[in-house]
Amino acid sequence: MRFKSHKRGLWALRLLIVMIGITFTVEFWSNDKPLLIVCDTGVFFPILRYYPETYFMKGEDLEMDYLTSEFNIFVKKHRAWVIWPPYRHSPYRLSESNHPVPSAPCALHVLGTDEQGRDLLARLVYGTRICLTFGLCVAVFGTILGIFIGAIQGYWGGKFDLYTQRLVEIWSGLPVLFMLMIIANFLTPSLEFLAIVMALFNWRPVSAAIRAEFLKARGLPYVLSAKVLGATDFRMMWRHILPNAMATGIAQFPFLVNSGIASLASLDFLGVGLKAGTPSLGELLQQAKSNLHAPWLGIYPLCMLAIILILVTLTGEGLRDALDPGRTS
């Protein structure tokens, strides 16, 4: 595989996979809930299930707070065996330290806390996962939409392609961030909603690449032979032309991921992205702007954002070079 010969892209992909593995399993190593509780009353998995206070003591029908003294009494009374995550902080729990917030890195909070006293490392990793998820969703939806539009444009050609291309140019000229800000002011933003809306504006690079491949391929002998044999338009598009045109479309995928991540960080920085309290790299950067005396609020998320964008870009370059039929090595 030619991708293996692209050393930078290969190492970037490996590091990206490691980062995805760390962030998507963060609940198991950074949480304020135990992984497992074994006692005489049963076996509990708080990391996977919701348990009210009534499971462990006389209380209300609310989720158990496992860091309270009441839970410690339960553990001693029932001689429970508890397995905790290595880092006992969630991105939503307020610090119990007496230090003023945002507090600097210390033994309790290795990267410090934000302006509300929440652990910065937990919010950084959870926010990174949200950014990666958002970028992947935008890239998937945008790629599917771009392939569909580019395929019908390139296959039909002629006046249909001419008029459609003018509409595409008008659509691509719309200011994406301003449109998202306007929509977010009227509707409650969520990760899924923002990903779909962002994908509606991010399909243009894929569409252009697929359109060019279809325009080139529709006059080739294998397509004309299939048409003479009675193949339908749908069969020629999706069974004959598309498999040969997919390489250029797939090469755009990592760059759509980057675009989605950067857009989400920008929206959260402006305060019109995900709902308040959601861990996000953009939200941390916004806090850093308001707390210039706490540089750790900006340094860590900025470095994380830069690392993600660099790794995805290098992976995309390696994929593009590997799928380029004009390259021999």
Side-chain angles (χ1 to χ4, degrees), residues 164-179 200-205:
T164 307
Q165 190 63 15
R166 299 292 81 77
L167 294 176
V168 170
E169 290 172 358
I170 294 172
W171 183 258
S172 62
L174 295 175
V176 180
L177 286 179
F178 284 110
M179 295 294 293
L200 293 177
F201 292 95
N202 255 29
W203 50 268
R204 180 71 178 87

Coordinates of all heavy atoms in Angstrom, one line a residue, residues 164-179 200-205:
T164 N -26.8 24.0 -12.4 CA -26.6 23.5 -11.1 C -25.3 24.1 -10.5 O -25.2 24.4 -9.3 CB -26.5 22.0 -11.1 OG1 -27.7 21.4 -11.7 CG2 -26.4 21.4 -9.7
Q165 N -24.3 24.2 -11.4 CA -23.0 24.8 -11.0 C -23.1 26.2 -10.5 O -22.5 26.7 -9.6 CB -22.0 24.7 -12.1 CG -20.6 25.0 -11.7 CD -20.0 24.0 -10.6 OE1 -20.6 22.9 -10.4 NE2 -18.9 24.4 -10.0
R166 N -24.0 27.0 -11.2 CA -24.3 28.4 -10.7 C -24.9 28.4 -9.3 O -24.5 29.2 -8.5 CB -25.2 29.1 -11.7 CG -24.6 29.2 -13.1 CD -23.4 30.1 -13.3 NE -22.2 29.5 -12.9 CZ -21.5 28.6 -13.7 NH1 -22.0 28.3 -14.9 NH2 -20.4 28.1 -13.3
L167 N -25.8 27.5 -9.1 CA -26.5 27.4 -7.8 C -25.4 27.0 -6.7 O -25.4 27.5 -5.6 CB -27.6 26.4 -7.8 CG -28.8 26.8 -8.7 CD1 -29.8 25.7 -8.7 CD2 -29.5 28.1 -8.1
V168 N -24.6 26.1 -7.1 CA -23.5 25.6 -6.1 C -22.6 26.8 -5.8 O -22.2 27.0 -4.6 CB -22.7 24.4 -6.7 CG1 -21.5 24.1 -5.9 CG2 -23.6 23.2 -6.8
E169 N -22.2 27.6 -6.8 CA -21.3 28.7 -6.5 C -22.0 29.7 -5.6 O -21.3 30.3 -4.8 CB -21.0 29.4 -7.9 CG -20.0 28.5 -8.7 CD -19.8 29.0 -10.1 OE1 -20.4 30.1 -10.4 OE2 -19.1 28.4 -10.9
I170 N -23.3 30.0 -5.8 CA -24.0 30.9 -4.9 C -24.0 30.4 -3.5 O -23.8 31.1 -2.5 CB -25.4 31.1 -5.4 CG1 -25.4 31.9 -6.8 CG2 -26.2 31.9 -4.4 CD1 -26.7 32.0 -7.5
W171 N -24.3 29.0 -3.4 CA -24.4 28.4 -2.1 C -23.0 28.4 -1.4 O -22.9 28.7 -0.1 CB -24.9 27.0 -2.2 CG -25.1 26.3 -0.9 CD1 -24.3 25.3 -0.3 CD2 -26.2 26.4 0.0 NE1 -24.8 24.9 0.8 CE2 -25.9 25.5 1.1 CE3 -27.3 27.2 0.0 CZ2 -26.8 25.4 2.2 CZ3 -28.2 27.1 1.1 CH2 -27.9 26.2 2.2
S172 N -22.0 28.2 -2.1 CA -20.6 28.1 -1.5 C -20.2 29.5 -1.1 O -19.2 29.7 -0.3 CB -19.6 27.5 -2.5 OG -19.5 28.3 -3.7
G173 N -20.8 30.6 -1.7 CA -20.4 31.9 -1.3 C -21.0 32.5 0.0 O -20.7 33.5 0.4
L174 N -22.0 31.7 0.5 CA -22.6 32.1 1.8 C -21.6 32.0 2.9 O -20.8 31.1 3.0 CB -23.8 31.3 2.1 CG -25.0 31.3 1.1 CD1 -26.1 30.3 1.4 CD2 -25.6 32.7 1.0
P175 N -21.6 33.0 3.9 CA -20.7 33.0 5.0 C -21.2 31.9 6.0 O -22.2 32.1 6.7 CB -20.8 34.4 5.6 CG -22.2 34.9 5.2 CD -22.4 34.2 3.8
V176 N -20.4 30.8 6.1 CA -20.9 29.7 6.9 C -21.0 30.0 8.4 O -22.1 29.7 9.0 CB -19.8 28.5 6.8 CG1 -20.3 27.3 7.6 CG2 -19.7 28.1 5.3
L177 N -20.0 30.6 9.0 CA -20.1 30.9 10.4 C -21.3 31.8 10.8 O -22.0 31.7 11.8 CB -18.8 31.5 10.9 CG -17.6 30.5 11.1 CD1 -16.4 31.2 11.5 CD2 -18.0 29.4 12.0
F178 N -21.5 32.8 9.9 CA -22.6 33.8 10.2 C -23.9 33.1 10.1 O -24.9 33.3 10.8 CB -22.5 35.0 9.2 CG -21.5 35.9 9.6 CD1 -20.3 36.1 8.8 CD2 -21.6 36.7 10.7 CE1 -19.3 37.0 9.1 CE2 -20.6 37.7 11.0 CZ -19.5 37.8 10.3
M179 N -24.0 32.2 9.1 CA -25.3 31.4 8.9 C -25.5 30.5 10.1 O -26.7 30.4 10.6 CB -25.2 30.6 7.7 CG -25.1 31.4 6.4 SD -26.7 32.3 6.0 CE -27.8 31.0 5.7
L200 N -24.0 20.7 5.4 CA -24.7 21.3 4.3 C -23.9 22.4 3.6 O -24.2 22.8 2.5 CB -26.1 21.9 4.8 CG -27.1 20.9 5.3 CD1 -28.4 21.6 5.8 CD2 -27.5 20.0 4.1
F201 N -22.9 22.9 4.3 CA -22.0 23.9 3.8 C -20.7 23.4 3.4 O -19.9 24.1 2.8 CB -21.9 25.1 4.7 CG -23.1 25.9 5.0 CD1 -23.9 25.6 6.1 CD2 -23.5 26.9 4.1 CE1 -25.1 26.4 6.3 CE2 -24.6 27.6 4.3 CZ -25.4 27.4 5.4
N202 N -20.4 22.1 3.8 CA -19.0 21.6 3.7 C -18.8 20.5 2.6 O -17.8 19.9 2.5 CB -18.5 21.0 5.0 CG -17.6 22.0 5.7 OD1 -17.6 23.2 5.5 ND2 -16.7 21.4 6.5
W203 N -19.8 20.3 1.7 CA -19.7 19.3 0.7 C -19.1 19.7 -0.6 O -18.8 18.9 -1.4 CB -21.1 18.8 0.4 CG -22.1 19.8 0.1 CD1 -22.9 20.4 1.0 CD2 -22.4 20.4 -1.2 NE1 -23.7 21.4 0.3 CE2 -23.4 21.4 -1.0 CE3 -21.8 20.2 -2.5 CZ2 -23.9 22.2 -2.1 CZ3 -22.3 21.0 -3.5 CH2 -23.3 21.9 -3.3
R204 N -18.8 21.0 -0.7 CA -18.3 21.6 -2.0 C -17.0 21.0 -2.5 O -16.9 20.6 -3.6 CB -18.2 23.1 -1.8 CG -17.7 23.8 -3.0 CD -18.8 23.9 -4.1 NE -18.3 24.6 -5.3 CZ -17.6 24.1 -6.3 NH1 -17.3 22.9 -6.3 NH2 -17.2 24.9 -7.3
P205 N -16.0 20.8 -1.7 CA -14.7 20.2 -2.2 C -15.0 18.8 -2.7 O -14.4 18.4 -3.8 CB -13.8 20.2 -1.0 CG -14.3 21.3 -0.1 CD -15.8 21.2 -0.3

